[in-house]
Amino acid sequence: MLVAFMTKTLKNHPALIPLLAFISGGTLMSCTYLARLALRNPDVSWDRKNNPEPWNKIAPNEQYKLFAVNMDYSKLKKDRPDF
């Protein structure tokens, strides 16, 4: 029923097609980024029993941020103790 209403509305108002495309694209990109944060960020712990502190298992030269400005992670040395 919703698909039929959308199709009818878009046929009557074709100027809404780019708006719908950009809103759908923005929603998809934001959901993808949220999933990336939930699955790859070391601050999130999904398994507390087997991996209670995932931030300790990250190597000092491993980049976990999406975008790093003026930072070369390959040249960093270990500056923290092992726990």
Side-chain angles (χ1 to χ4, degrees):
M1 180 165 168
L2 182 64
V3 175
F5 176 73
M6 289 283 292
T7 306
K8 182 180 175 185
T9 303
L10 291 178
K11 283 183 182 179
N12 291 337
H13 304 287
L16 294 177
I17 294 173
L19 179 67
L20 181 65
F22 280 105
I23 288 175
S24 301
T27 303
L28 178 68
M29 285 189 289
S30 64
C31 289
T32 303
Y33 183 67
L34 184 65
R36 182 190 181 278
L37 284 177
L39 297 174
R40 298 195 36 101
N41 196 349
D43 295 333
V44 179
S45 178
W46 291 95
D47 187 10
R48 291 186 192 177
K49 187 178 283 186
N50 294 328
N51 192 9
E53 296 176 341
W55 50 88
N56 283 335
K57 295 191 184 228
I58 297 215
N61 58 357
E62 182 179 340
Q63 178 182 353
Y64 68 91
K65 293 185 176 184
L66 182 64
F67 183 70
V69 178
N70 297 333
M71 187 67 154
D72 189 12
Y73 284 92
S74 64
K75 294 180 181 176
L76 290 178
K77 296 190 176 24
K78 185 175 182 178
D79 61 349
R80 56 186 177 226
D82 288 330
F83 290 106

